[in-house]
Amino acid sequence: MFKRLVFLIAITSLVSSSLWCEPTTSTQIIADWVLAGSAFTLKSSPFQQSVEGVTSTLPTLILENLEDAGVRILAPEEILERKLVLLRKDRTTLGNSLTAAIKERDKQVFISSSEKGLKKNLREKDAKILEIRENLEENEAQIEDIKKQLEQKDFQDIQDEGERIVLWQDSANILFTKDTVKNEDINGLLTGSIIASGNYLSVTVELTLYPGEIHSVKIQSLASVADITVMAKEIASQLKPVLQNRPTVEVLFQIEPPEAVARAKIFVDGQSFNPQGFVDRGVLLAAGSHSIEVESPGFYSRSFEADFSQNSRFLTTVNLDPVEHVPVRIESEKFPDSQLYVDGIPQGTLGQEVELQTGLAFGTVLPTPDTEHPYYFVADITPESKLSQLNLRLKKDTQEISTRIEKRRRAMYNSYSALLVSLIPTFVSYGMYVNMSNGWVLGHESEENMKLWKNISTGSMVLSAGLGVNLAVQLGLFISSADSVLPEQAKVK
């Protein structure tokens, strides 16, 4: 029995682990894709000394945000191009070996001491030359096959491959300082330039891919010196889809009206971006659907989903509606001189006229003397409404409400437990009644035993039903107590 139990537990663990583990992908991780960054250059500026440290700080911050960049998926074209590079290197090596082997064979005429020795040496050298030529022919055939695949875009037999993106020397704090880039050193290099103007920095970051020294992407950003951390996150978020080799699009934002642009914030999938200059140079995003949110003080926020997948460049115009303010007078008969707060901002005392923006306003009343607890209310302020003589049905002390909620919660759980416990004798007694009833019909049990279990079963059912009704009542009382913490809805009198 114990062995069976252990076997059942093992099978259950295997099934549950297979259900909950992440699905494996068909992409084969073949190597590491090494990314490095070099110190940026600071162009001539009268503020050069004050921002000189940014040239190394900014690339370091960008690399820190790319430590978990994930996997770079190699496109079939990229896989074939890499094979071409290796095959061409091998062809050069084989060509040099063939030239050296021919020279070595011709040399035997002058260094051989006898005709027999000459023939033997020539046979050995010719065999080596023949082997190199066969390797060269095979190399040329492979090159032609790959060229044909690229021309015809025949990628059926190519398995998806990926390379794990890692930082050079596994550190974001070590910048690349070598004059030349060797293929075995890195696969991608971040370079950049900075132009300082006052407290603002205009930064251009470029990603170069190796081998081939391919200039992949150029990203521009503008921010103050104090916001270089935010700038680094913004640049890194645009670099990630490029590093992962995903399709990218350039999205340009135009915010209306113009007065909303200066203090606006744009959030793409929760990532903040600087909107200034996005009409001239957009933000680089992975192709597909993204959630966009635009906010600016004094304007209502806008949130929407957008699909950027049909083109390579998009212009997104976002119109923000200005927040309207209306004069409001809030009063309370019970506490006429109490302090008033709306959305956490002090608005003087009750009875004074205040300017509030339209929409839901969350108010707090602090009565005097200070021994009184605060009271809360919610008011829906519209351009047509003017609240006057607002009488609040004040809540009880928060401590009292908390105690009452806890009391109702305990009563609800106790009633629930009692109902569950009562179901045990209910099911047992009903089963015994059915068993006795069948036995009485067959003549195996007495009528008295059958009637006894019938009465016990009926009593148990009545008890369970009563406890069920009690649970419903206790649940209603608990919900009512919990709702009592909600602020009152302010009404115009």
Short mmCIF file of all heavy atoms in Angstrom, two decimals, residues 251-272:
data_model
loop_
_atom_site.label_atom_id
_atom_site.label_comp_id
_atom_site.label_asym_id
_atom_site.label_seq_id
_atom_site.Cartn_x
_atom_site.Cartn_y
_atom_site.Cartn_z
N VAL A 251 7.36 54.97 -34.65
CA VAL A 251 6.09 55.63 -34.32
C VAL A 251 6.37 57.06 -33.91
O VAL A 251 7.16 57.32 -33.00
CB VAL A 251 5.35 54.89 -33.19
CG1 VAL A 251 4.01 55.56 -32.90
CG2 VAL A 251 5.13 53.43 -33.56
N LEU A 252 5.74 57.98 -34.61
CA LEU A 252 5.87 59.41 -34.31
C LEU A 252 4.58 59.88 -33.64
O LEU A 252 3.48 59.54 -34.09
CB LEU A 252 6.14 60.21 -35.59
CG LEU A 252 7.41 59.84 -36.35
CD1 LEU A 252 7.12 58.80 -37.42
CD2 LEU A 252 8.04 61.07 -36.98
N PHE A 253 4.71 60.67 -32.58
CA PHE A 253 3.56 61.16 -31.83
C PHE A 253 3.41 62.66 -32.05
O PHE A 253 4.39 63.41 -32.00
CB PHE A 253 3.72 60.87 -30.34
CG PHE A 253 3.60 59.42 -29.99
CD1 PHE A 253 4.73 58.61 -29.95
CD2 PHE A 253 2.37 58.86 -29.70
CE1 PHE A 253 4.62 57.28 -29.63
CE2 PHE A 253 2.26 57.53 -29.37
CZ PHE A 253 3.39 56.73 -29.34
N GLN A 254 2.18 63.07 -32.25
CA GLN A 254 1.84 64.49 -32.34
C GLN A 254 0.72 64.76 -31.34
O GLN A 254 -0.37 64.19 -31.45
CB GLN A 254 1.40 64.87 -33.75
CG GLN A 254 1.09 66.35 -33.90
CD GLN A 254 0.78 66.72 -35.34
OE1 GLN A 254 0.90 65.90 -36.23
NE2 GLN A 254 0.37 67.95 -35.55
N ILE A 255 1.00 65.59 -30.35
CA ILE A 255 0.05 65.86 -29.28
C ILE A 255 -0.61 67.19 -29.52
O ILE A 255 0.06 68.20 -29.78
CB ILE A 255 0.76 65.83 -27.91
CG1 ILE A 255 1.43 64.48 -27.69
CG2 ILE A 255 -0.22 66.13 -26.78
CD1 ILE A 255 2.25 64.39 -26.44
N GLU A 256 -1.91 67.21 -29.44
CA GLU A 256 -2.70 68.43 -29.59
C GLU A 256 -3.52 68.63 -28.33
O GLU A 256 -4.00 67.67 -27.72
CB GLU A 256 -3.62 68.33 -30.81
CG GLU A 256 -2.89 68.18 -32.14
CD GLU A 256 -2.16 69.45 -32.55
OE1 GLU A 256 -2.46 70.51 -31.96
OE2 GLU A 256 -1.31 69.38 -33.45
N PRO A 257 -3.72 69.89 -27.90
CA PRO A 257 -3.20 71.14 -28.47
C PRO A 257 -1.72 71.35 -28.12
O PRO A 257 -1.18 70.64 -27.27
CB PRO A 257 -4.07 72.20 -27.80
CG PRO A 257 -4.45 71.60 -26.49
CD PRO A 257 -4.60 70.14 -26.74
N PRO A 258 -1.06 72.31 -28.77
CA PRO A 258 0.39 72.50 -28.56
C PRO A 258 0.75 72.80 -27.11
O PRO A 258 1.84 72.40 -26.66
CB PRO A 258 0.71 73.71 -29.46
CG PRO A 258 -0.36 73.69 -30.51
CD PRO A 258 -1.59 73.18 -29.85
N GLU A 259 -0.15 73.48 -26.36
CA GLU A 259 0.19 73.81 -24.97
C GLU A 259 0.25 72.57 -24.07
O GLU A 259 0.73 72.64 -22.93
CB GLU A 259 -0.81 74.81 -24.39
CG GLU A 259 -2.26 74.40 -24.54
CD GLU A 259 -2.90 74.95 -25.80
OE1 GLU A 259 -2.15 75.26 -26.76
OE2 GLU A 259 -4.12 75.09 -25.82
N ALA A 260 -0.24 71.43 -24.55
CA ALA A 260 -0.18 70.21 -23.75
C ALA A 260 1.13 69.46 -23.92
O ALA A 260 1.42 68.54 -23.17
CB ALA A 260 -1.35 69.29 -24.12
N VAL A 261 1.96 69.86 -24.90
CA VAL A 261 3.17 69.10 -25.22
C VAL A 261 4.26 69.30 -24.18
O VAL A 261 4.97 68.36 -23.81
CB VAL A 261 3.69 69.50 -26.62
CG1 VAL A 261 4.97 68.76 -26.94
CG2 VAL A 261 2.63 69.23 -27.67
N ALA A 262 4.39 70.52 -23.66
CA ALA A 262 5.55 70.86 -22.82
C ALA A 262 5.68 69.93 -21.61
O ALA A 262 6.78 69.49 -21.28
CB ALA A 262 5.45 72.31 -22.37
N ARG A 263 4.55 69.60 -20.96
CA ARG A 263 4.61 68.78 -19.74
C ARG A 263 3.99 67.41 -19.95
O ARG A 263 3.63 66.73 -19.00
CB ARG A 263 3.90 69.51 -18.61
CG ARG A 263 4.50 70.88 -18.28
CD ARG A 263 3.65 71.63 -17.27
NE ARG A 263 3.60 70.93 -16.00
CZ ARG A 263 2.80 71.28 -14.99
NH1 ARG A 263 1.99 72.31 -15.14
NH2 ARG A 263 2.79 70.59 -13.88
N ALA A 264 3.85 67.00 -21.19
CA ALA A 264 3.19 65.73 -21.49
C ALA A 264 4.11 64.55 -21.19
O ALA A 264 5.34 64.66 -21.21
CB ALA A 264 2.74 65.70 -22.94
N LYS A 265 3.50 63.41 -20.92
CA LYS A 265 4.20 62.15 -20.75
C LYS A 265 3.51 61.10 -21.60
O LYS A 265 2.28 61.00 -21.61
CB LYS A 265 4.20 61.71 -19.28
CG LYS A 265 5.05 62.59 -18.37
CD LYS A 265 5.06 62.04 -16.95
CE LYS A 265 5.91 62.90 -16.03
NZ LYS A 265 5.91 62.37 -14.64
N ILE A 266 4.32 60.31 -22.30
CA ILE A 266 3.80 59.23 -23.13
C ILE A 266 4.28 57.90 -22.55
O ILE A 266 5.46 57.73 -22.26
CB ILE A 266 4.27 59.37 -24.59
CG1 ILE A 266 3.72 60.66 -25.19
CG2 ILE A 266 3.82 58.18 -25.42
CD1 ILE A 266 4.19 60.91 -26.60
N PHE A 267 3.33 56.99 -22.35
CA PHE A 267 3.65 55.67 -21.83
C PHE A 267 3.27 54.63 -22.89
O PHE A 267 2.12 54.58 -23.33
CB PHE A 267 2.89 55.39 -20.53
CG PHE A 267 3.25 56.33 -19.41
CD1 PHE A 267 2.57 57.53 -19.25
CD2 PHE A 267 4.27 56.03 -18.53
CE1 PHE A 267 2.89 58.40 -18.23
CE2 PHE A 267 4.60 56.89 -17.50
CZ PHE A 267 3.92 58.09 -17.35
N VAL A 268 4.24 53.83 -23.28
CA VAL A 268 4.02 52.74 -24.22
C VAL A 268 4.27 51.43 -23.48
O VAL A 268 5.40 51.16 -23.06
CB VAL A 268 4.94 52.84 -25.45
CG1 VAL A 268 4.67 51.69 -26.41
CG2 VAL A 268 4.76 54.17 -26.15
N ASP A 269 3.19 50.67 -23.28
CA ASP A 269 3.28 49.42 -22.50
C ASP A 269 3.87 49.68 -21.12
O ASP A 269 4.65 48.87 -20.59
CB ASP A 269 4.10 48.37 -23.24
CG ASP A 269 3.50 48.00 -24.58
OD1 ASP A 269 2.25 48.04 -24.70
OD2 ASP A 269 4.26 47.70 -25.52
N GLY A 270 3.52 50.84 -20.54
CA GLY A 270 4.00 51.19 -19.21
C GLY A 270 5.35 51.87 -19.18
O GLY A 270 5.75 52.38 -18.13
N GLN A 271 6.07 51.89 -20.30
CA GLN A 271 7.38 52.53 -20.37
C GLN A 271 7.22 53.98 -20.77
O GLN A 271 6.58 54.31 -21.75
CB GLN A 271 8.27 51.80 -21.38
CG GLN A 271 9.59 52.48 -21.67
CD GLN A 271 10.51 52.53 -20.48
OE1 GLN A 271 10.69 51.53 -19.80
NE2 GLN A 271 11.08 53.67 -20.20
N SER A 272 7.83 54.88 -19.98
CA SER A 272 7.72 56.32 -20.23
C SER A 272 8.67 56.74 -21.33
O SER A 272 9.83 56.29 -21.40
CB SER A 272 8.02 57.10 -18.95
OG SER A 272 8.05 58.48 -19.20
#
